[in-house]
Amino acid sequence: MAIKTQMIDFPSNGQTTPGYLAQPDDANQHPAIVVIQEYWGLVPHIKDVAERFAREGFIALAPDLYHGQVAEEPDEARKMAMALDRNRAVMEINSAAKYLRSLAAAPKKIGVVGWCMGGALALSTGASSTDLGAIVAFYGRPLSVADTAKVRAPVLGLYAEKDHGIPPEAVKAFDEELSDVGVVHEIHIYPNVQHAFFNDTRPGIYDSAAAQDAWRRTLDWFRKYLVS
């Protein structure tokens, strides 16, 4: 599918936030999603993922939560992630969803998807918003019990067995908490893979089989809950 891409600025909390917009190059209506960065920033990998979504028939907007900054080393990325105002980031993600709803080619139900820091922010956005259509979190830190109870959108969680920061026990506890509060969800823990297994720019960590399966599940999840 032919696509078109551009950097835009969308309104957010009285100011503007930059973002990378990728969409099918036609006049048809398409489901829309907010694509949330890892702690590296709005790097080429995240733009590439937004383009993949567009080629699959989605309108994808990746907000630049660092406003132009990107990290090249893990220590730098960690410092930038720690300095990020999470409440402001969630507001900007919700503003990105609002912008997508304003597009004539997008339906009103918007999805959010994120990786690592972005996965956690996708979940936090779900706890702050009552009108999201679906959430996909790749190895995003689980919510507190109180915030889990606020989630209304269906959640797909994709995790790594060998994630030292988010062990399987924590993921299973999150799975149970989602069940306890009645959130529609699916949780998958991929065996023998590490945190960031989806990122194909990190050859020592990327796992092709897990990434392909997670991508298929992500597309199916959004098509199920955003297209109906």
Side-chain angles (χ1 to χ4, degrees), residues 41-223:
L42 185 57
V43 294
H45 169 65
I46 294 299
K47 293 180 178 179
D48 175 68
V49 173
E51 292 170 10
R52 290 186 224 173
F53 276 115
R55 286 192 289 271
E56 291 288 344
F58 294 87
I59 301 171
L61 174 57
D64 182 358
L65 302 179
Y66 290 164
H67 291 251
Q69 291 185 296
V70 294
E72 296 183 359
E73 299 294 335
D75 285 346
E76 182 185 11
R78 278 190 286 270
K79 289 177 182 177
M80 292 169 67
M82 290 177 63
L84 181 69
D85 183 333
R86 298 300 177 100
N87 291 329
R88 190 199 74 185
V90 168
M91 283 194 297
E92 290 182 321
I93 294 163
N94 277 314
S95 294
K98 183 178 180 180
Y99 172 83
L100 288 171
R101 290 188 193 95
S102 74
L103 300 179
K108 301 309 176 187
K109 290 197 296 184
I110 306 299
V112 294
V113 56
W115 293 261
C116 181
M117 179 187 81
L121 288 171
L123 294 171
S124 294
T125 303
S128 75
S129 174
T130 59
D131 55 2
L132 290 179
I135 300 165
V136 178
F138 280 76
Y139 29 88
R141 189 170 298 281
L143 296 168
S144 67
V145 174
D147 281 344
T148 299
K150 300 175 184 176
V151 176
R152 296 293 176 266
V155 173
L156 174 63
L158 303 165
Y159 291 89
E161 181 186 37
K162 294 186 176 181
D163 189 330
H164 299 298
I166 310 173
E169 294 76 17
V171 177
K172 292 173 183 176
F174 183 47
D175 190 357
E176 293 175 2
E177 290 160 10
L178 288 165
S179 295
D180 289 343
V181 296
V183 175
V184 175
H185 69 285
E186 290 182 13
I187 300 291
H188 299 275
I189 302 175
Y190 288 93
N192 301 315
V193 300
Q194 301 178 58
H195 184 95
F197 67 81
F198 186 80
N199 190 333
D200 57 7
T201 68
R202 302 184 67 187
I205 294 175
Y206 173 68
D207 186 281
S208 176
Q212 289 179 29
D213 184 79
W215 180 244
R216 176 187 61 79
R217 291 180 188 275
T218 296
L219 295 175
D220 289 349
W221 196 257
F222 282 140
R223 286 171 176 150

